[in-house]
Amino acid sequence: MKHLGADTFEVLAEAVTSEVTVAAILERAGELTMLHACGVADAEGAVIALVAKSGTGKTTASSQLAQTFGYITDETVAIRADGTIEPYPKPLSVKQTTTGAAKLQVGPDELGLKVAPESPRITSIALLDRVTGGEYQLPVIEPVPLVDAVLALIPDTSSQAAVFQPLQSLCRLIDSVGGVLRVSYSEAADLTDSLAPLFLAQPYDRPEVITAWAPALLESEAEQADHQAGEKKEEPIPGGWLQRTDAVDAVEIGGDLLVLTETEVIRLSGIGPIIWQTAQRPVSLQTLAARIEAVHGLPEGYEVLLDAAVEGLVGQGLLLRG
């Protein structure tokens, strides 16, 4: 049992809220996709998840929108594989005007927020982009390409690496809501009317790239079974040859390949995806060149380009050299 102490009630309340949130996230790690987002629902249970980093207007948007729509959360939108949502209507963490002061924990009822309907389900995912300074901007909503959407969402998810096929499952979630949108705005008061269409299923045309992704081959089914049983045999890498390192997950999106390692998502383009895919087992530079030639052709002086690409992948920890 963890004991918390603080000099003031406000500091203690903020610490308790944080501890409860972390405990809830850890408890459901691997079961749910958890977006660092505020969530609001319409009367039918359709939910918009507005993803944003701490301190960028997420709580303000929650408190404004949930006076009209049902309050799901101002912290973590937890989504099951079937698209239904586990509400987390925690007290809102409201900044005080005093610099460095603990955030006030204010209950939804105190702010007049509406209760969310039963059985909420995800309908839209949007990246909140509050524009500060410069000219006043009414909300502008635009689609985000799938590669950019995945790269934007991964840092704002909790325990996504513990989900089965974390990148692929995130892509499936994005596809199920018709793609990720970006909402650029100046004031949260303008969001209510602008976001209302997002409660409708797939309110915008899907960018073509949304349907273009396909899972990258990691291992055969037999290799996966051996790996899980601890029986996978490591092949020695001959001198000068290359082999890719293990990845948590990978997806192809158009001409790009996203590879999730234990620590980060790495985006490969150009000849990078072919090198990584070909190096599932130890491979020579000559074999890599032949594979690249079959797909892209080889320009004059390709050796320098190939060496640079390989060095880059080795430096990122995606390739091992024998």
Side-chain angles (χ1 to χ4, degrees), residues 47 146 219 221:
V47 173
L146 180 55
E219 296 177 319
E221 291 184 8

Side-chain angles (χ1 to χ4, degrees), residues 2-302:
K2 187 170 185 177
H3 296 276
L4 299 175
D7 294 333
T8 66
F9 175 78
E10 289 79 9
V11 173
L12 179 60
E14 183 177 14
V16 169
T17 299
S18 177
E19 287 293 328
V20 170
T21 298
V22 170
I25 289 172
L26 293 176
E27 179 68 22
R28 305 304 295 274
E31 295 180 44
L32 308 171
T33 292
M34 292 180 272
L35 302 177
H36 191 59
C38 68
V40 291
D42 69 4
E44 283 70 45
V47 173
I48 302 172
L50 298 167
V51 180
K53 299 185 184 301
S54 297
T56 59
K58 182 162 49 66
T59 295
T60 302
S62 297
S63 60
Q64 182 70 42
L65 291 166
Q67 294 180 41
T68 301
F69 308 112
Y71 175 59
I72 296 291
T73 185
D74 81 326
E75 175 63 35
T76 302
V77 176
I79 308 168
R80 302 184 185 93
D82 64 358
T84 58
I85 285 175
E86 185 76 42
Y88 183 47
K90 59 176 282 293
L92 285 76
S93 300
V94 180
K95 285 183 178 180
Q96 299 192 67
T97 55
T98 304
T99 302
K103 293 181 179 179
L104 294 177
Q105 306 307 303
V106 185
D109 291 343
E110 186 176 348
L111 292 171
L113 307 189
K114 291 191 173 183
V115 177
E118 294 183 1
S119 304
R121 65 193 182 283
I122 190 69
T123 301
S124 294
I125 299 173
L127 305 175
L128 273 184
D129 181 15
R130 185 161 184 253
V131 179
T132 58
E135 294 185 5
Y136 185 89
Q137 179 172 312
L138 290 172
V140 174
I141 302 174
E142 55 189 354
V144 179
L146 180 55
V147 171
D148 296 331
V150 173
L151 292 174
L153 290 179
I154 281 291
D156 283 315
T157 61
S158 297
S159 305
Q160 183 65 16
V163 174
F164 177 65
Q165 296 180 338
L167 290 181
Q168 296 178 48
S169 65
L170 186 58
C171 285
R172 287 191 289 269
L173 171 62
I174 293 171
D175 187 54
S176 74
V177 298
V180 170
L181 304 168
R182 175 174 283 104
V183 179
S184 304
Y185 70 105
S186 291
E187 295 297 335
D190 298 323
L191 291 174
T192 302
D193 291 338
S194 298
L195 295 184
L198 273 62
F199 289 110
L200 304 176
Q202 300 171 358
Y204 293 88
D205 292 336
R206 298 183 183 188
E208 184 177 352
V209 70
I210 292 276
T211 60
W213 78 273
L217 180 63
L218 296 178
E219 296 177 319
S220 68
E221 291 184 8
E223 287 173 322
Q224 289 177 9
D226 289 344
H227 205 162
Q228 293 170 0
E231 299 175 359
K232 184 179 179 181
K233 296 180 180 179
E234 297 295 335
E235 300 179 53
I237 305 175
W241 286 34
L242 299 155
Q243 183 175 14
R244 74 185 189 211
T245 55
D246 287 338
V248 176
D249 197 12
V251 292
E252 286 183 283
I253 303 172
D256 292 315
L257 177 70
L258 300 182
V259 181
L260 177 63
T261 69
E262 295 289 347
T263 58
E264 62 180 328
V265 178
I266 299 173
R267 179 180 186 173
L268 304 181
S269 56
I271 63 175
I274 296 174
I275 294 173
W276 189 85
Q277 292 166 344
T278 305
Q280 181 177 346
R281 288 197 172 91
V283 63
S284 66
L285 284 173
Q286 290 78 10
T287 299
L288 287 178
R291 177 62 181 147
I292 293 169
E293 182 177 24
V295 177
H296 292 293
L298 290 177
E300 185 177 349
Y302 75 88

